[in-house]
Amino acid sequence: MKFLKRIQILAILPFMLFLGCSNDDEPTGGDETSPIITGTNPLDNATDVARNKSISITFNEEMSLASFTSTSFTLKQGTTPVAGSVQYADSTARFIPNNALSAGLVYTATVNTDVKDLAGNPIANNKVWTFTTGTKTGLTTVNLGSSANYVILAKTAINNSPTSAITGDMGLSPAATSFITGFGLTDATGYATTPQVTGKVYAADMVPPTNTNLTTAVENMITAYNDAAGRPTPDFLELGTGSIGGMTLDAGLYKWTNTVSMASDVTLSGSADDVWIFQIDGDMTMSSAMKITLTGGAQAKNIFWQVAGSVALGTTSHFEGVILCMTGITMQTGATINGRLLAQTAVILDSNAVTKR
């Protein structure tokens, strides 16, 4: 009987090894969870969608770039495929049509289970959503008029704690040259220079036509502010109740009735032709060392931050876009910006880099 039991154990042993020990080449304890879709833009069943809008889908984790292809992310009008390209960055994939979509038609976007996360896990099911286009082709840029000639434009003062690096012209009106401090200006005819500015510095008390040019520029700045503030029907209202740190923001019109803060990094993702307009009824603050990153070809010149209150960019932070501020803009020590600072009171600098885009 002992001999028979030994034979039985030996016969069972290979089967036990197969069940418990033969999978040494397989990962154990790894990520086996399917990625979760956290949102689409436009939303399912959305109407009046801009005809030149990119179609995006966002996930709860980083995804495999290689898994986003012309077959895994598609757009159709009825049964007719829409030609376009697929981009992926920062947990968001975008389908960008080659041409503007037709007006007043229903389109269907599909992301299938070929899409995977970095561990190779596919989404659980195909994601299918529809939307209807409107007649418009999307947001147009805010026309800055002649205020676009300046990287910094203010009305009451431009104060600087050296040394800053300004790329582009600066202008101040109706205040005089004496209200531009901390630059060590050298007077010239109709403008001034300083090693801290790669460009020229203008003020209202300089000889013509500087004074009249600045008057026009300030008027254009105010017109641009009112244009941005008056754009109707926001795509996003009170997003994050104003706390937008950590978010990836698609192109569109955003509105908040209170303060907006960036306590962590923010990403703006879209194509080179996409436009962002942010309407902020309160203050705007960016915490120290935080940054705005542009992906997908997005350009600072197409990003407009209309702020009714004050703006404060924290130490060593980095900002992107054109700030149109009704009051004052303060850049704390070492902060940088690609864009423009257009303030209806003062601009305060402290060893900053301000680059016109």
Side-chain angles (χ1 to χ4, degrees):
M1 292 295 293
K2 290 182 179 180
F3 178 76
L4 290 175
K5 288 181 179 179
R6 180 176 294 179
I7 292 175
Q8 290 172 341
I9 292 172
L10 291 173
I12 294 172
L13 184 58
F15 181 71
M16 294 175 63
L17 289 171
F18 172 79
L19 289 177
C21 305
S22 63
N23 60 343
D24 291 340
D25 293 334
E26 298 294 326
T28 58
D31 178 7
E32 297 181 358
T33 303
S34 293
I36 296 172
I37 297 166
T38 59
T40 64
N41 190 3
L43 297 172
D44 190 23
N45 296 318
T47 58
D48 200 28
V49 173
R51 294 169 55 206
N52 65 345
K53 187 175 183 63
S54 62
I55 314 306
S56 68
I57 184 168
T58 302
F59 300 86
N60 69 329
E61 59 178 310
E62 285 296 328
M63 304 292 286
S64 167
L65 171 63
S67 70
F68 289 97
T69 67
S70 58
T71 57
S72 66
F73 191 171
T74 59
L75 182 67
K76 292 182 178 182
Q77 198 289 299
T79 60
T80 304
V82 175
S85 60
V86 179
Q87 297 180 355
Y88 172 80
D90 303 309
S91 302
T92 298
R94 286 174 176 76
F95 182 94
I96 302 173
N98 289 347
N99 301 293
L101 304 178
S102 298
L105 295 180
V106 177
Y107 286 83
T108 301
T110 302
V111 174
N112 67 31
T113 53
D114 289 339
V115 167
K116 301 176 181 178
D117 64 15
L118 296 180
N121 301 305
I123 59 175
N125 300 289
N126 290 352
K127 174 63 177 178
V128 181
W129 71 104
T130 63
F131 60 90
T132 305
T133 53
T135 58
K136 298 179 181 179
T137 55
L139 280 178
T140 57
T141 60
V142 175
N143 184 359
L144 299 177
S146 62
S147 68
N149 295 331
Y150 304 89
V151 67
I152 298 176
L153 181 62
K155 294 178 68 175
T156 62
I158 302 174
N159 298 329
N160 175 48
S161 294
T163 300
S164 291
I166 313 301
T167 303
D169 294 342
M170 296 197 319
L172 181 66
S173 179
T177 308
S178 59
F179 290 89
I180 302 175
T181 63
F183 286 99
L185 298 177
T186 300
D187 290 335
T189 302
Y191 64 92
T193 62
T194 168
Q196 297 182 65
V197 178
T198 303
K200 296 178 179 179
V201 180
Y202 300 92
D205 60 337
M206 294 177 178
V207 299
T210 295
N211 52 353
T212 55
N213 289 343
L214 283 171
T215 297
T216 301
V218 168
E219 290 174 351
N220 291 166
M221 172 178 69
I222 295 171
T223 299
Y225 175 93
N226 292 334
D227 174 19
R231 297 292 181 98
T233 60
D235 300 300
F236 304 91
L237 184 61
E238 310 294 358
L239 181 67
T241 62
S243 180
I244 61 173
M247 294 186 179
T248 296
L249 305 179
D250 290 331
L253 180 62
Y254 295 72
K255 182 174 178 61
W256 294 272
T257 57
N258 212 319
T259 296
V260 167
S261 63
M262 288 166 263
S264 55
D265 294 346
V266 174
T267 299
L268 273 57
S269 187
S271 71
D273 296 325
D274 282 337
V275 175
W276 289 255
I277 299 177
F278 301 96
Q279 300 171 329
I280 303 169
D281 289 348
D283 299 334
M284 180 174 71
T285 61
M286 173 177 263
S287 298
S288 297
M290 298 302 105
K291 65 181 182 294
I292 293 176
T293 300
L294 307 184
T295 63
Q299 300 189 79
K301 68 178 184 179
N302 293 332
I303 303 164
F304 302 91
W305 304 83
Q306 172 263 313
V307 185
S310 62
V311 174
L313 306 183
T315 57
T316 70
S317 63
H318 177 73
F319 198 86
E320 296 275 349
V322 177
I323 299 177
L324 291 158
C325 184
M326 182 176 281
T327 59
I329 302 171
T330 299
M331 296 187 70
Q332 298 174 4
T333 308
T336 63
I337 179 175
N338 293 328
R340 293 177 176 84
L341 304 175
L342 308 178
Q344 295 183 38
T345 59
V347 172
I348 311 298
L349 305 174
D350 186 353
S351 302
N352 306 121
V354 182
T355 304
K356 183 179 176 182
R357 288 285 190 267

